[in-house]
């Protein structure tokens, strides 16, 4: 978790708007015809039923059981909310299901039980075994959770894991191994202080012991102090970690300790306690949402400390999503009977080993980092590292096979890894890249239409998320009223009204600068000063003079009215003859970049070549190698019409300008995506070797129609329009953009500003 500010109403709206909740069930087979329905249900469904009756293992062959996990809770220990009941815990369980799906393509039914008793809970879950390939226990209070998991593991023939216990243990253990390697200490020699004696803390201590730590080197504390022989009334799980020691308090326990493991509450660890630790101490302060000691305080107290937390805004986040999706993926794929110690240890070692490998550019890009490499601030992989699925799941599957709990061995491991990689959808990758890169170096963004509720909501989100530093243009009284009526918090954000008397000197100054640019181009000095009352002109001048880094506008205005001030004031990059517009279409297979979709009506061959080069340059900003199809209704000379010839000529100009660019045309859109037909008919095309990700349209009509169809009929999310070729970032919203789309465009503007506007 992190401490980003969330507006309560936004969270409620997110869950309630449209279809309530966060998940739905969709069919995986055709159901369009009467024959389809006859196969799906009666009479065709009888055949798989009879096959499964004869061989129960065929349930994995003919049903979804092999990819279906139950997330089961009774709501007795929900996040930091405590015993709030099964209904109140349901949003969390749905959320867990979403994580299973997006990180490992595992389907989930969330099941909330009105069953607080151990026997009752176990009886219900056991009855569900025929439905599911695995059981993820969630948010069940201690000590009941220990008994529930122990008995279910013994009595069920499918994998069961209580993630609250083992998730943190597995992830922190991988971080521990790497941190100990960096400080050149052995796990069997170091001393531990474990603050917190709940399910996660006890699971952590047990896993560390399985990795070689000595139980006598572990001091565990609960809210009443050290678990020592003078304590009474301890449950069986705590008794396992009782020590014969005179130490009672956390302060005394910390003296000379090598490792602190915190799973308790914020603020209990002081700087003096950290100072009293051994040389090169390890502090894993994992209390959520706020750690036992802040990163800043720990590093200030001991510069030699290696620190980990549960927070995403600090290095070394111990995040359970690094474990459970991939552990269950591996277990399901070999039809494992359980998740045993060997499988958990395999996950630990796979995570630790992955951290030591070179980090791909797409990961550093996603987190806005210039460089990530194994060291004190990188001892555990990042949650968005796509390699996690192909490293952790196979390690777990292999351990299941070798330990004898797998029912379906994997013969071809290379093929299995390819299948895993194909499961990952990339539709969210670009948004993650944008937000994380923007968050790394937020810039000042002018919102030219701040008298709009959606714009104000977006401004609060990007401010709270650390994506941008908003500047609002508009009438101060109207904006203040909208903020009040909609409970939007933008305290400290400057509001500028270009029409106000207070801005007369600024308007005159901007007008004079504008007149210098536009004299002899239709403006006299009076008109230049007067037009600065218009927010788009005023905002563009703020960007031009360095008072802001980017401008966002166009939500309620026509496209030409927004782009004109940008062209007149900011102008084009050196060497660019015409700006262009690009949309990014977010698909599970990866993003599609479309241009020109908004600016140039009927470009010439030279202009189309320039558009292609501008688009390829922008695609590379995402650390994606552009693979460009220049589209037409013709395939490689099959038509001799002027329109087809124009695209052909543009291709030659592009190849001359950038011989290394992977590009081909003129080509039909269907041909660009059908590699089999392309290979058979046009084996010379460089587009055969990989997936096309960039489409260049021959005219504005084609581009505009295509992106609108993909958005409205195809249902894809889009980012755009992104203006290409301006010296400084000005981005124009679609009429009626959603708050989410505005936020994405702000992040895009910030990313552009990081490149174009030096501080």
């Amino acid at each position: 978790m992190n401490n980003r500010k969330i507006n309560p109403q936004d969270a409620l709206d997110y869950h309630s708007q449209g279809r309530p909740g966060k998940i739905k069930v969709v069919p995986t087979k055709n159901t369009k015809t009467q024959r389809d329905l006859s196969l799906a249900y009666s009479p065709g469904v009888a055949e798989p039923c009879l096959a499964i009756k004869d061989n129960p293992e065929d349930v994995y062959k003919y049903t979804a059981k092999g990819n279906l996990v139950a997330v089961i809770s009774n709501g007795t220990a929900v996040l930091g909310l405590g015993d709030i009941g099964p209904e109140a815990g349901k949003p969390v369980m749905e959320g867990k299901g979403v994580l299973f799906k997006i990180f490992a393509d595992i389907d989930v039914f969330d099941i909330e039980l009105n069953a607080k008793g151990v026997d009752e809970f176990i009886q219900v879950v056991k009855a569900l075994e025929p439905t599911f390939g695995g059981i993820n226990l969630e948010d069940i209070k201690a000590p009941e959770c220990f008994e529930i998991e122990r008995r279910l593991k013994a009595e069920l023939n499918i994998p069961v894991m209580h993630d609250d216990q083992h998730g943190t243990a597995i992830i922190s253990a991988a971080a521990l191994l790497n941190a100990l390697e960096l400080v050149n200490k052995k796990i069997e020699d170091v001393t531990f202080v474990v603050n917190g004696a709940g399910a996660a803390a006890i699971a952590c201590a047990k896993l560390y012991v399985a990795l070689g730590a000595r139980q006598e080197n572990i001091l565990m504390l609960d809210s009443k102090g050290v678990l020592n022989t003078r304590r009474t009334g301890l449950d069986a799980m705590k008794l396992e970690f009782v020590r014969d020691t005179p130490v009672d308090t956390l302060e005394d326990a910390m003296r000379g300790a090598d490792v602190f493991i915190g799973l308790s509450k914020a603020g209990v660890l002081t700087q003096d306690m950290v100072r009293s630790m051994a040389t090169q101490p390890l502090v894993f302060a994992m209390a959520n949402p706020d750690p036992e000691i802040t990163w800043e305080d720990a590093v200030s107290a001991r510069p030699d400390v290696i620190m980990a937390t549960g927070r995403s805004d600090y290095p070394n986040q111990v995040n359970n999503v690094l474990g459970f999706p991939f552990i269950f993926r591996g277990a399901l794929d070999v039809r494992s009977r359980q998740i045993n110690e060997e499988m958990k240890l395999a996950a630990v070692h796979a995570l630790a080993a992955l951290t030591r490998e070179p980090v791909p550019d797409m990961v550093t890009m996603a987190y806005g980092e210039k460089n990530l490499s194994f060291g004190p601030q990188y001892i555990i992989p990042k949650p968005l590292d796509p390699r996690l699925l192909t490293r952790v799941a196979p390690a777990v599957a292999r351990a299941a096979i070798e330990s004898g709990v797998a029912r379906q061995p994997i013969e071809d491991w290379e093929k299995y890894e390819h299948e895993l990689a194909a499961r990952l959808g990339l539709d969210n990758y670009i948004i993650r890249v944008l937000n994380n890169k923007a968050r790394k170096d937020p810039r000042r963004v002018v919102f030219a239409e701040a008298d709009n509720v959606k714009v104000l909501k977006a401004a609060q989100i990007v401010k709270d998320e650390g994506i941008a530093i908003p500047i609002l243009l508009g009438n101060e009284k109207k904006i203040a009223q909208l903020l009040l009526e909609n409970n939007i918090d933008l305290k400290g954000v400057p509001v500028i009204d270009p029409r106000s008397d207070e801005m007369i000197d600024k308007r005159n100054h901007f007008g004079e600068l504008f007149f210098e640019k536009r004299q002899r181009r239709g403006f006299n000095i009076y008109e230049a000063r007067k037009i600065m009352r218009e927010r788009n002109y005023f905002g563009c001048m703020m960007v031009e003079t360095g008072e802001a880094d980017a401008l966002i506008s166009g939500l309620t205005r026509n496209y030409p009215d927004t782009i004109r001030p940008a062209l007149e004031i900011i102008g084009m990059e050196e060497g660019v003859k015409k700006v262009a517009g690009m949309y990014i279409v977010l698909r599970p297979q990866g993003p599609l970049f479309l241009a020109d979709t908004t600016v140039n009506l009927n470009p010439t061959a030279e202009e189309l070549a320039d558009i292609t080069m501008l688009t390829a340059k922008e695609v590379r900003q995402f650390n994606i190698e552009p693979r460009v199809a220049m589209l037409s209704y013709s395939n490689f000379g099959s038509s001799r019409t002027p329109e087809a010839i124009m695209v052909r000529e543009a291709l030659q100009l592009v190849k001359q300008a950038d011989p290394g660019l992977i590009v081909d045309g003129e080509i039909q859109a269907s041909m660009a995506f059908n590699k089999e037909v392309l290979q058979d008919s046009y084996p010379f095309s460089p587009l055969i070797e990989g997936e096309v990700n960039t489409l260049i349209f021959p005219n504005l009509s084609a581009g505009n129609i295509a992106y609108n169809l993909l958005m409205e009929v195809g249902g894809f999310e889009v980012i755009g329009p992104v203006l290409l070729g301006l010296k400084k970032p000005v981005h124009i919203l679609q009429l009626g953009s959603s708050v989410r789309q505005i936020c994405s465009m702000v992040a895009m503007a910030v990313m552009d500003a990081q490149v174009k506007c030096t501080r």
Side-chain angles (χ1 to χ4, degrees), residues 154-181:
E155 297 174 30
L156 292 181
N157 206 30
I158 57 175
V160 176
M161 189 172 85
H162 183 210
D163 186 51
D164 297 335
Q165 291 184 56
H166 305 295
T168 302
I170 290 165
I171 314 311
S172 66
L176 176 68
L177 292 181
N178 281 336
L180 289 173
E181 179 177 321

Side-chain angles (χ1 to χ4, degrees), residues 362-570:
M362 69 181 300
V363 178
T364 58
M365 184 78 172
Y367 285 91
E369 299 278 358
K370 291 183 179 177
N371 183 43
L372 278 175
S373 60
F374 180 51
Q377 296 196 18
Y378 181 66
I379 58 173
I380 194 70
K382 295 288 191 181
L384 299 185
D385 192 327
R387 301 173 299 167
L388 286 162
L389 182 58
T390 56
R391 303 301 171 81
V392 180
V396 171
R398 195 182 295 273
I401 294 169
E402 292 174 354
S403 62
V405 295
R407 285 173 287 191
Q408 178 171 289
I410 292 172
E411 304 294 341
D412 188 335
W413 289 95
E414 184 176 351
K415 179 183 177 183
Y416 175 53
E417 289 189 19
H418 287 314
E419 290 171 351
L420 288 173
R423 287 182 176 274
L424 280 180
L426 298 174
D427 46 337
N428 289 322
Y429 169 70
I430 291 295
I431 289 180
R432 290 168 179 166
V433 167
L434 280 173
N435 289 342
N436 284 298
K437 189 172 177 64
R439 202 174 285 121
K440 196 70 179 175
D441 183 17
R443 297 300 182 95
R444 301 162 298 171
V445 177
V446 176
F447 291 79
E449 297 162 296
D451 51 4
N452 182 283
V453 172
K454 286 198 285 188
V455 170
L456 292 174
K457 285 184 176 181
Q460 179 181 344
I461 291 170
V462 298
K463 173 180 175 284
D464 292 344
E465 291 281 311
I467 290 170
I469 303 163
I471 300 170
L472 309 178
L473 297 189
N475 182 276
E476 288 190 59
K477 288 184 179 179
K478 184 175 181 181
I479 291 171
Q481 186 64 29
L482 287 171
L483 294 174
L484 183 64
E485 290 173 354
N486 294 277
N487 194 29
I488 300 170
D489 181 9
L490 284 171
K491 287 179 184 150
V493 173
V495 179
I496 300 171
D497 184 357
R499 292 177 175 268
S500 69
D501 292 341
E502 289 83 358
M503 287 292 111
I504 188 167
D505 290 340
K506 179 69 73 176
R507 285 200 305 270
N508 288 338
H509 174 60
F510 282 173
E512 288 160 11
L513 293 175
F514 182 56
F515 179 67
E516 290 177 16
K517 285 176 170 285
R518 303 300 298 179
Q519 56 183 316
R520 300 181 186 275
R521 295 185 186 179
F523 281 89
N524 59 38
I525 185 65
Y526 171 76
E527 291 168 332
R529 288 172 177 163
K530 181 180 178 182
I531 207 165
M532 288 302 137
R533 296 170 63 87
E534 297 294 327
R535 281 179 271 170
N536 282 329
Y537 278 91
F538 191 93
C540 283
M541 191 57 76
M542 289 182 70
V543 175
E544 175 67 6
T545 59
E547 295 183 29
D549 301 301
L551 179 133
I552 292 289
S553 187
L555 183 68
T556 60
R557 296 169 182 261
N558 291 326
Y559 198 88
D561 293 338
T562 310
I563 195 173
R564 190 181 301 110
L567 291 170
E568 291 176 346
I569 292 173
I570 292 172

Side-chain angles (χ1 to χ4, degrees), residues 568-583:
E568 291 176 346
I569 292 173
I570 292 172
M572 292 177 282
E573 292 181 82
E574 188 173 345
V576 173
K577 297 173 184 175
K578 279 201 171 183
V579 297
M582 179 186 79
Y583 270 90

